[in-house]
Amino acid sequence: MISIKENADVIEMNRMTADDVIEMLKITGNHEMDMLFRKANEIRHQYSGNRVFLRGLIEYSNICSKNCYYCGIRENNKSVFRYKMSVTDVLEAVWFAVKNNLGSVVIQSGELTSSANTEEIRKLIKQIKSFSGNKLAITLSCGEQTEDTYIKWRDAGAERYLLRIETTDKKLFENIHPKNSHHSFEKRLEALNNLKKCGYQVGTGVMIGLPDQTVESLARDILFMRDFDIDMCGMGPYIEHNCTPLALNKSENLKLEERYNLALKMIAVLRIVMKDVNIASTTAFQAINNMGKINALDAGANVIMPNITECKYKSCYSLYNNKPGIENSREAELKTTLDLIYSASNVPGFNESGDSVHFLNKIHANIH
Ligand code: 5AD
Ligand code: SF4
């Protein structure tokens, strides 16, 4: 079995091959896994210090035109109450973010591509910017859009965009999505390339523990993120949602605990491979284990997203079973988040927009 210490050369010199990544993802045993997490956390501290960047998460709308087989808000799930927040409700959340020095917000929604939707989000971005006195950085997570739409939203003031590739294995991607042109692997890749071209800080990520997903495939996901040169990553364990097609063969899937450990290892390995990118400690970890977000920080994540969506909407934005914290007020959610940051021996990055250091370094290198 690999020893993290013996492998220090490979780690330090960033000469990671697919085999090295596979070997790390295959590590089992609490002691060996702890060594991996410790190494990743050390690198995180070395490159980004002990600050954890804060993003207030606003679940703007759960209306979606897609039918991803794994997702609880897929269009064909008729048991979901569909909503879109009013501008007033969004600005109330924004005001909470400003008042509490969060530094940035994420606008997340299902995927809609109408021109009316493009315009609504464009206006929303402008309103958030002016209402917050340009104090808040904005990350969008609103799915695949045309290059034109991405340009409009960027020009309105959005700096960052999250679009998960879900898996870089085309065959697996096709297994977890309907087979039609609305759910195309190539289009997902094209959208990611367009985001980069438009000058966004680009984030992507994968789900971990999907049916038939292998460690080899996850290793290729890591190398894809490195070679695409992403700036940010949001990833976490796959968790069944009862009203989805992918949940039907539940018994054949990896145990939740195994997915959880594998997902933590993915965070650690990505941190070792991409030292200065922003990596989120995501809610899916917390859905499996109540130490989830702390464990993800300890494994090398440096971003946390307290959910500041009003309670009445939160339970409708349900991607998987047992979404945690749906009954928490914004105040309670923020307190819990700050407590867990401190308990992982970190400090919150109050009033910091929390740009990806990786992105800033690229810009800097291009100027000089
Ligand atoms: N389990 C875990 N993550 C999920 N997502 C959607 N459904 C699930 C699920 N069942 C993730 C996807 C998507 C993001 C918005 O949420 O990665 O990109
Ligand atoms: Fe819609 Fe995203 Fe869910 Fe797919 S994963 S159904 S695009 S919200």
Side-chain angles (χ1 to χ4, degrees):
M1 186 189 285
I2 191 176
S3 142
I4 297 299
K5 265 215 176 89
E6 280 165 22
N7 235 26
D9 266 5
V10 181
I11 291 171
E12 296 307 339
M13 298 176 71
N14 210 2
R15 280 186 277 108
M16 206 72 67
T17 65
D19 285 343
D20 298 323
V21 174
I22 291 167
E23 221 175 327
M24 285 199 269
L25 292 177
K26 282 188 173 166
I27 288 173
T28 51
N30 289 341
H31 178 65
E32 282 293 300
M33 283 202 297
D34 276 352
M35 298 265 288
L36 177 71
F37 300 152
R38 212 169 307 150
K39 181 73 213 172
N41 201 8
E42 223 176 86
I43 293 175
R44 198 274 269 182
H45 278 84
Q46 200 180 324
Y47 282 78
S48 323
N50 63 348
R51 275 144 38 252
V52 174
F53 295 137
L54 302 163
R55 282 91 176 80
L57 174 64
I58 302 175
E59 292 166 333
Y60 170 57
S61 168
N62 68 352
I63 306 172
C64 188
S65 65
K66 279 196 161 157
N67 264 308
C68 308
Y69 289 154
Y70 44 85
C71 177
I73 61 169
R74 61 198 302 271
E75 187 184 36
N76 284 357
N77 183 6
K78 301 299 178 198
S79 60
V80 177
F81 172 78
R82 302 289 168 169
Y83 73 87
K84 183 169 68 184
M85 286 170 71
S86 65
V87 173
T88 313
D89 281 351
V90 173
L91 293 182
E92 202 177 283
V94 166
W95 180 237
F96 179 85
V98 172
K99 225 174 39 189
N100 289 284
N101 311 311
L102 294 189
S104 75
V105 289
V106 177
I107 300 293
Q108 187 168 51
S109 72
E111 183 177 305
L112 291 178
T113 53
S114 67
S115 47
N117 184 65
T118 303
E119 190 50 20
E120 272 167 20
I121 293 184
R122 192 190 67 78
K123 281 192 187 145
L124 202 59
I125 296 164
K126 287 192 104 54
Q127 282 166 310
I128 295 172
K129 281 288 176 186
S130 68
F131 190 69
S132 69
N134 276 327
K135 272 201 184 132
L136 291 179
I138 300 178
T139 304
L140 297 177
S141 178
C142 305
E144 283 169 32
Q145 304 288 340
T146 60
E147 191 183 341
D148 195 44
T149 297
Y150 287 149
I151 291 172
K152 280 189 180 133
W153 291 349
R154 181 209 59 200
D155 289 350
E159 293 93 347
R160 310 175 186 145
Y161 206 104
L162 278 172
L163 179 65
R164 291 190 182 183
I165 186 84
E166 314 298 358
T167 169
T168 57
D169 182 329
K170 184 167 154 40
K171 194 167 167 297
L172 183 55
F173 185 97
E174 287 169 357
N175 284 344
I176 61 170
H177 295 98
K179 289 175 198 18
N180 59 41
S181 61
H182 196 35
H183 299 80
S184 143
F185 181 70
E186 285 74 21
K187 283 191 184 155
R188 183 66 57 97
L189 275 178
E190 192 189 329
L192 280 168
N193 278 307
N194 282 336
L195 285 166
K196 202 192 227 182
K197 206 162 88 185
C198 293
Y200 284 95
Q201 295 179 42
V202 181
T204 194
V206 296
M207 282 178 292
I208 297 137
L210 289 164
D212 299 323
Q213 189 178 38
T214 61
V215 166
E216 287 74 15
S217 165
L218 287 167
R220 284 191 292 273
D221 294 340
I222 296 270
L223 297 182
F224 167 83
M225 294 190 238
R226 179 193 67 187
D227 298 340
F228 187 86
D229 206 19
I230 60 160
D231 306 302
M232 327 181 286
C233 177
M235 59 184 169
Y238 160 66
I239 302 168
E240 290 82 356
H241 185 290
N242 284 344
C243 307
T244 59
L246 206 65
L248 292 175
N249 58 354
K250 217 176 191 169
S251 58
E252 290 163 32
N253 295 346
L254 277 187
K255 289 203 194 83
L256 278 179
E257 195 195 334
E258 288 174 71
R259 292 182 223 173
Y260 180 82
N261 285 336
L262 197 48
L264 286 176
K265 284 186 275 183
M266 283 289 283
I267 289 201
V269 175
L270 183 67
R271 172 58 69 209
I272 289 167
V273 173
M274 300 195 80
K275 300 176 169 39
D276 53 3
V277 292
N278 278 344
I279 305 179
S281 164
T282 57
T283 310
F285 284 99
Q286 197 75 17
I288 297 183
N289 183 321
N290 61 13
M291 292 289 282
K293 286 194 180 177
I294 296 184
N295 288 163
L297 290 180
D298 285 342
N302 69 320
V303 169
I304 215 154
M305 310 195 291
N307 191 332
I308 58 168
T309 315
E310 207 184 327
C311 268
K312 68 176 178 203
Y313 299 119
K314 270 199 217 169
S315 62
C316 303
Y317 208 97
S318 161
L319 308 177
Y320 41 77
N321 295 339
N322 305 323
K323 176 184 181 181
I326 46 175
E327 68 296 327
N328 286 353
S329 66
R330 288 181 183 124
E331 289 75 13
E333 172 81 8
L334 182 59
K335 184 178 183 313
T336 310
T337 305
L338 297 179
D339 285 350
L340 78 85
I341 291 173
Y342 290 121
S343 71
S345 307
N346 289 288
V347 293
F350 286 126
N351 289 318
E352 292 191 72
S353 78
D355 285 317
S356 154
V357 172
H358 188 76
F359 179 83
L360 296 180
N361 285 342
K362 272 193 286 190
I363 301 270
H364 190 72
N366 280 340
I367 293 171
H368 294 278

